[in-house]
């Protein structure tokens, strides 16, 4: 019984710590949730029908309880196994962790840290199991026959317990000589104390995770009830903007696939009714706007491609969305910035700051306070309820999420979060292009091959894209219809591939006739340059 208790207590400890890790790093990847989702996906239709017939709307709760029961049974077995045949109990926990990690990693739109909660849970459970099994009380003397007694006496010189090293009763945790072979063994009461402690710590960790998540659960519930007002100006996406090539980034990035970059360990939970934005600093009058006031203003749709300064050549830290928002220029006009101001320091509820040139926020581009993203309220991780979106500038100097404060200032008076950490004070997006297909490692056969990708230079525009095969001449690619100069544009090139190893290279030319530089620069301090290339094997 005690080895099984060790297993169950270890799993309670690991599961609790795993839930806390999930709350901190990847709430959607809680081991229970991902394993439950996997089972729902794998379940045959009759099983789903039966579950609904049996449990009604409590079918999901029933599933989680079911997973819990199976887990406890496996945990008990693992405890017994670890006591008898170490390290197989721990190995079993490793396998459970692997199942959780795989379930998490294979979900659609799995976050970057998807496997972390399961990994943390498994490691915690393994350590707890090792700790507890070592402390298992030494089994009291077995009723012994004269034969075993004689053997025992010979082997241990009467150490006080019945099992000898070669005895069938020797279960690894109950060696004859407690002092030498089980140096950590404790008595039953102390063992139960340790096991209870493990369960208690697991429960506290799980509770901590639950509390950490409470704010975001409340905000998610509120977000689900929000109906955004109709835009007073729409930004239709032309059908010809989407080439529809398999493997090519869609021209509008679905929210769930949109890259996420921020310094927030836990996503800030801001309730719209608590939200307001203050404009102050070098202004004639301070302006404050609440959520209700913002939603009552004429909101416009615009399509803008966001990009991160940390995006490597060919990287994925870029996405394009239809945003709904109100021009920042209109709000600044209410405040009346002073003539010598040249920068706006935006601040998020969690203290992140970005410094944006005032002129960019005052010109006629769609620099907005956004409340909607692709027809929905902003997702929490993309800045709910309100963020900035500014065409033409990298996110770190413009795209403040959970924004609550705009301080009109000067570049020589205030500095922003990343500027203080070695990044450039200004962050205009650089002329860039990327190859999406063929994918690396894709097997190709000689003949026509579609090469395709995206190119962007927000608020300047792309005039053409060219492709080079090996050291051949630069060939013009075909552009899809551009949505606007503020968005990326898809391109394609029909390549007559010959067998062998080839290098495909892409470059863009912007609306000013400037050709994308081949000069290689890293992301620090103001964004990477260089041409994206892909080596392919044609058979
Ligand atoms: N509050 C806050 N806003 C932020 C950041 C941040 O760390 N905190 N990161 C910025 C950076 S570096 C980028 S690239 C964009 C990314 O926006 P996304 O996560 O919606 O793609 O958000 C910007 N806004
Ligand atoms: Mo960024």
């Amino acid at each position: 019984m005690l080895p099984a208790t060790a297993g169950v207590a270890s799993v309670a400890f690991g599961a609790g710590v795993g839930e806390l890790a999930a709350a901190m790093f990847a709430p959607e990847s809680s081991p229970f949730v991902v394993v439950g989702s996997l089972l729902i996906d794998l379940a045959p239709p009759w099983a789903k029908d039966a579950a609904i017939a049996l449990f009604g709307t409590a079918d999901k709760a029933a599933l989680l309880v079911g997973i819990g029961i199976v887990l406890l049974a496996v945990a008990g077995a693992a405890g017994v196994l670890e006591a008898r045949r170490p390290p197989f109990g721990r190995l079993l926990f490793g396998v459970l962790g692997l199942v959780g990690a795989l379930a998490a990693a294979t979900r659609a739109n799995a976050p970057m840290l998807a496997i972390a909660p399961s990994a943390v849970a498994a490691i915690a459970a393994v350590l707890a199991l090792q700790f507890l099994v070592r402390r298992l009380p030494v089994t009291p003397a077995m009723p012994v026959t004269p034969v075993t007694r004689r053997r025992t006496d010979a082997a241990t010189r009467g150490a006080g317990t019945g099992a000898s090293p070669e005895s069938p009763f020797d279960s690894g945790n109950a060696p004859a000589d407690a002092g030498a072979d089980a140096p950590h063994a404790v008595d039953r009461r102390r063992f139960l104390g340790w096991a209870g402690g493990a369960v208690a710590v697991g429960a506290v960790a799980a509770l901590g995770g639950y509390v950490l998540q409470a704010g975001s659960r409340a905000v998610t519930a509120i977000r689900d009830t929000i109906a955004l007002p109709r835009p007073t100006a729409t930004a239709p996406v032309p059908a010809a903007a989407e080439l529809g090539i398999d493997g090519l980034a869609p021209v509008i990035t679905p929210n769930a696939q949109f890259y996420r970059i921020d310094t927030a360990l836990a996503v800030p939970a801001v309730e719209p009714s608590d939200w307001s934005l203050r404009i102050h600093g070098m202004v004639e009058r301070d302006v404050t706007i609440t959520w209700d006031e913002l939603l009552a203003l004429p909101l416009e749709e615009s399509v803008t491609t966001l990009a991160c300064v940390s995006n490597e050549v060919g990287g994925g830290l870029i996405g394009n969305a239809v945003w709904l928002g109100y021009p920042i220029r209109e709000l600044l006009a209410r405040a009346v910035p002073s003539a010598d101001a040249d920068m706006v320091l935006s601040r998020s509820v969690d203290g992140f700051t970005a410094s944006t040139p005032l002129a960019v926020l005052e010109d006629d581009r769609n620099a907005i306070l956004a409340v909607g993203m692709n027809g929905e309220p902003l997702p929490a991780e993309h800045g709910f309820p309100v963020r900035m979106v500014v065409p033409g500038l990298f996110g770190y100097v413009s795209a403040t999420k959970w924004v609550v404060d705009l301080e009109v200032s000067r570049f020589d008076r205030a500095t922003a979060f990343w500027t203080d950490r070695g990044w450039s004070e200004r962050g205009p997006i650089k002329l860039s292009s990327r190859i999406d297909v063929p994918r690396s490692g894709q097997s190709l056969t000689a003949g026509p091959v579609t090469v395709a990708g995206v190119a962007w230079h927000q608020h300047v525009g792309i005039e053409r894209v060219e492709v080079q095969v090996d050291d051949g001449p630069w060939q013009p690619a075909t552009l899809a219809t551009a949505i606007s100069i503020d968005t990326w544009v898809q391109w394609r090139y029909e390549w007559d591939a010959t067998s062998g190893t080839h290098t495909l290279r892409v470059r863009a030319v912007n609306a000013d006739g400037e050709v994308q530089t081949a000069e290689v620069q890293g992301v620090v301090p103001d964004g990477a340059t260089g041409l994206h290339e892909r080596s392919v094997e044609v058979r």
Side-chain angles (χ1 to χ4, degrees):
M1 213 37 216
L2 288 187
T5 307
V8 169
S10 302
V11 156
F13 176 76
V17 173
E19 287 306 299
L20 179 60
M24 285 167 61
F25 305 121
E28 58 278 70
S29 302
S30 141
F32 285 97
V33 172
V34 292
V35 170
S37 307
L38 181 72
L39 290 176
I40 291 173
D41 290 353
L42 295 179
W46 61 261
K48 283 182 198 168
D49 294 345
I52 293 168
L54 257 172
F55 303 109
T57 50
D59 57 341
K60 298 211 173 54
L63 176 66
L64 290 178
V65 170
I67 294 174
I69 292 171
V70 171
L71 189 62
L72 289 184
V74 175
V80 174
L81 204 55
E82 180 68 17
R84 297 209 178 138
R85 296 265 176 281
F88 285 104
R90 278 174 284 165
L91 229 80
L92 190 53
F93 283 175
V95 171
L96 287 182
L98 208 62
V99 169
L102 281 176
T106 53
R107 297 226 54 79
N109 312 311
M112 213 144 59
L113 292 172
I115 66 165
S118 294
V120 167
I123 292 168
V126 162
L127 293 177
L129 186 64
Q130 187 172 33
F131 180 93
L132 288 174
V133 165
R134 277 197 189 147
R135 277 159 188 74
L136 277 172
V138 172
T139 329
M142 304 304 266
V144 283
T145 66
V147 179
T148 50
R149 162 165 301 252
R150 209 181 50 234
R151 258 209 248 147
T152 302
D153 289 349
T156 66
R157 264 170 248 119
T161 56
S164 74
E166 62 278 35
S167 154
F169 303 117
D170 176 18
S171 56
N173 64 302
D177 188 341
D181 292 340
H184 301 286
V186 295
D187 65 29
R188 186 186 167 84
R189 267 187 55 197
R190 294 195 67 186
F191 172 80
L192 288 176
W194 280 116
V199 174
V201 171
V204 167
L207 191 71
Y210 185 82
V211 169
L212 260 187
Q213 284 283 94
S216 79
R217 264 193 306 275
V219 165
T220 303
I222 292 168
R223 180 182 175 274
D224 289 346
T225 67
I226 290 175
L228 292 174
R230 281 181 178 286
T232 54
T234 58
V237 176
E242 177 59 69
L243 295 176
I245 295 169
D246 194 30
L248 168 63
V251 71
I252 299 293
T253 315
N255 290 352
Q257 270 153 256
F258 209 96
Y259 81 97
R260 175 191 165 194
I261 293 285
D262 54 60
T263 58
L265 188 55
V267 175
V270 183
E271 293 192 21
S273 57
D274 292 340
W275 181 88
S276 69
L277 176 96
R278 191 163 82 100
I279 304 178
H280 62 109
M282 298 172 68
V283 293
E284 231 167 66
R285 66 184 82 91
D286 286 13
V287 170
T288 299
I289 182 164
T290 66
W291 170 254
D292 288 338
E293 287 164 352
L294 179 61
L295 282 209
L297 293 170
L299 303 184
E300 297 169 7
E301 251 178 24
S302 52
V303 191
T304 296
T305 302
L306 281 191
C308 182
V309 68
S310 298
N311 196 28
E312 305 278 355
V313 171
L317 300 181
I318 176 166
N320 187 39
V322 181
W323 307 95
L324 178 70
Y326 188 72
I328 295 170
R329 114 178 60 80
E330 302 289 340
L331 295 175
L332 285 173
R334 292 191 197 178
V336 192
S338 56
D340 54 342
D342 67 1
M343 184 267 272
V344 173
L345 190 72
S346 53
R347 183 182 303 272
S348 72
V349 71
D350 66 339
F352 170 86
T353 52
S355 54
T356 312
L358 178 61
V360 167
L361 297 177
E362 289 187 320
D363 71 19
D364 61 0
R365 81 185 74 194
N366 293 313
I368 58 169
L369 282 184
V371 296
M373 181 176 184
N374 291 330
E376 291 173 26
L378 292 177
E381 61 274 25
H382 293 291
F384 182 82
V386 184
R387 75 172 305 168
M388 286 172 57
V389 172
V390 181
L393 302 184
F394 282 125
Y396 82 107
V397 291
S398 69
T400 304
K401 305 189 272 191
W402 316 287
V403 65
V404 291
D405 189 285
L406 300 182
E407 181 184 347
V408 178
S409 183
R410 291 179 53 86
F411 276 108
D412 59 14
R413 279 194 202 164
T415 52
F417 186 88
W418 287 114
T419 318
D420 293 337
R421 289 159 178 80
W423 296 78
S424 171
E425 171 185 274
R426 316 272 169 143
I429 291 176
K430 296 179 178 181
L431 171 59
S432 305
S433 52
R434 185 180 84 192
I435 302 171
D436 284 356
V437 286
R439 281 172 263 209
S440 39
Q442 192 178 329
S443 69
L444 300 172
T445 44
V449 167
T450 298
V451 182
V454 282
W456 61 92
H457 197 184
Q458 288 91 314
H459 214 59
V460 178
I462 297 295
E463 185 185 276
R464 57 178 204 277
V465 168
E466 297 170 336
V467 173
Q468 184 185 43
V469 181
D470 302 322
D471 291 317
W474 286 98
Q475 305 279 352
T478 308
L479 290 189
T481 299
I483 299 172
S484 79
I485 60 170
D486 292 335
T487 67
W488 63 10
V489 59
Q490 295 181 340
W491 57 265
R492 76 186 295 162
Y493 173 76
E494 297 309 325
W495 174 38
D496 190 14
T498 56
S499 58
T501 303
H502 299 286
T503 301
L504 301 169
R505 205 170 282 117
V506 65
R507 74 178 182 193
V509 178
N510 72 12
D512 298 335
E514 187 191 322
V515 179
Q516 183 183 342
T517 179
E519 199 179 308
V520 175
Q521 193 201 291
V523 296
V524 184
D526 62 357
T529 64
L531 303 184
H532 189 212
E533 56 180 53
R534 185 157 281 178
S535 168
V536 293
E537 199 77 49
V538 182
R539 299 192 306 132

